[in-house]
Amino acid sequence: RGTAVLLLLLLYAFSLTSVGQKSLTVDEQGHLFRGIAYVKTGATHFLWGHPLLASSLNALPLLTEPDLQLPIDSAAWQLGEWEIASDHFLWQLNENPLRLIFLGRLPTLWLALLLGALLYRWGRELAGKTAASLALALFAFDPNFLAHGGLITSDLAVTFFMLLAVYGFWRWTVVRYPLSVTRKPSRQYAIRHTRYAILLTGLGMGGAAATKFSAAALGPILGLLALELVIKRRS
């Protein structure tokens, strides 16, 4: 596992050194603002595009700022005009906007590490350590994930939760309906790991649904996996 740890540390180093240098992208300000508005005040009238889980996760580190101010008394807040309210929040009310942006980007970076660890674990269970290390290396040096792994958006979060759901479903099929009769697990092992797999699937599906509406793709994805299960295990 030393190779996996090294690759994850490299991913963390690459992403951490870049999150403090990247300019704010077009949608990060809105994501961060609606997240902190919901976490601190329960405001839900800044909803646009997708649910609030990823934005809320990105906003959590901002709670460590003792003097954080929100434009609660402004007309833009009352009218739900998030473009104006978010600009007021980030660039006018608070003294160090760059620090707030840096803090808001950290949860996405941590989710990227969890995604890499999950890829390695699944790859090891499917095809061994060499294949798992190769999969993790391709992930850790992929330009798309290096670019998005430190941004205040919902893309990487929904990727992690969707993969977690599919992995949990796959584990359930392997334990509950093994391909080989000779390798059928004991009843106690099957019960324990079935519960674990169902928990992972539920967390993944719930997290994905609360992050982005495109998580509805999990329906046909799991449906196709179930169809494959039926075809392979007809007996």
Side-chain angles (χ1 to χ4, degrees):
R1 296 178 182 176
T3 303
V5 172
L6 177 61
L7 288 170
L8 288 173
L9 287 175
L10 284 173
L11 173 63
Y12 184 73
F14 290 152
S15 301
L16 188 64
T17 53
S18 66
V19 294
Q21 301 176 18
K22 292 179 181 177
S23 299
L24 196 68
T25 60
V26 67
D27 52 352
E28 283 186 284
Q29 179 171 303
H31 277 287
L32 184 62
F33 171 70
R34 71 178 194 148
I36 193 62
Y38 176 72
V39 170
K40 285 207 72 172
T41 69
T44 58
H45 59 295
F46 295 107
L47 287 173
W48 51 272
H50 296 288
L52 281 166
L53 178 59
S55 299
S56 299
L57 292 176
N58 288 119
L60 288 179
L62 272 62
L63 297 179
T64 61
E65 296 293 294
D67 300 323
L68 192 70
Q69 301 292 323
L70 290 173
I72 299 176
D73 298 327
S74 68
W77 179 282
Q78 305 299 330
L79 296 174
E81 296 176 346
W82 61 268
E83 303 97 331
I84 300 174
S86 62
D87 187 79
H88 192 193
F89 158 74
L90 191 59
W91 303 107
Q92 301 177 41
L93 277 181
N94 295 284
E95 294 183 357
N96 197 339
L98 297 182
R99 174 177 170 81
L100 299 183
I101 295 169
F102 177 81
L103 291 174
R105 286 172 168 176
L106 290 179
T108 306
L109 173 54
W110 299 333
L111 284 176
L113 295 178
L114 288 176
L115 177 57
L118 179 59
L119 279 172
Y120 177 80
R121 181 183 179 91
W122 197 357
R124 191 181 63 186
E125 294 177 3
L126 276 174
K129 295 180 181 179
T130 302
S133 299
L134 177 60
L136 180 56
L138 291 172
F139 168 77
F141 297 108
D142 185 277
N144 287 314
F145 287 104
L146 287 174
H148 288 269
L151 299 180
I152 309 170
T153 62
S154 56
D155 300 314
L156 195 134
V158 76
T159 303
F160 168 72
F161 286 121
M162 289 182 70
L163 187 69
L164 182 65
V166 179
Y167 170 70
F169 186 82
W170 173 83
R171 279 194 63 90
W172 175 75
T173 64
V174 169
V175 175
R176 188 69 178 83
Y177 302 100
L179 279 172
S180 174
V181 178
T182 59
R183 297 181 59 188
K184 191 173 183 178
S186 65
R187 175 179 173 81
Q188 184 178 6
Y189 176 92
I191 292 175
R192 183 172 68 252
H193 283 264
T194 296
R195 291 173 178 172
Y196 170 68
I198 292 175
L199 176 63
L200 291 181
T201 307
L203 287 174
M205 293 185 70
T211 299
K212 213 165 186 179
F213 291 126
S214 55
L218 275 174
I221 289 173
L222 297 184
L224 289 172
L225 289 176
L227 180 62
E228 180 194 24
L229 169 68
V230 172
I231 293 174
K232 286 186 175 180
R233 299 161 173 82
R234 284 180 295 180
S235 60

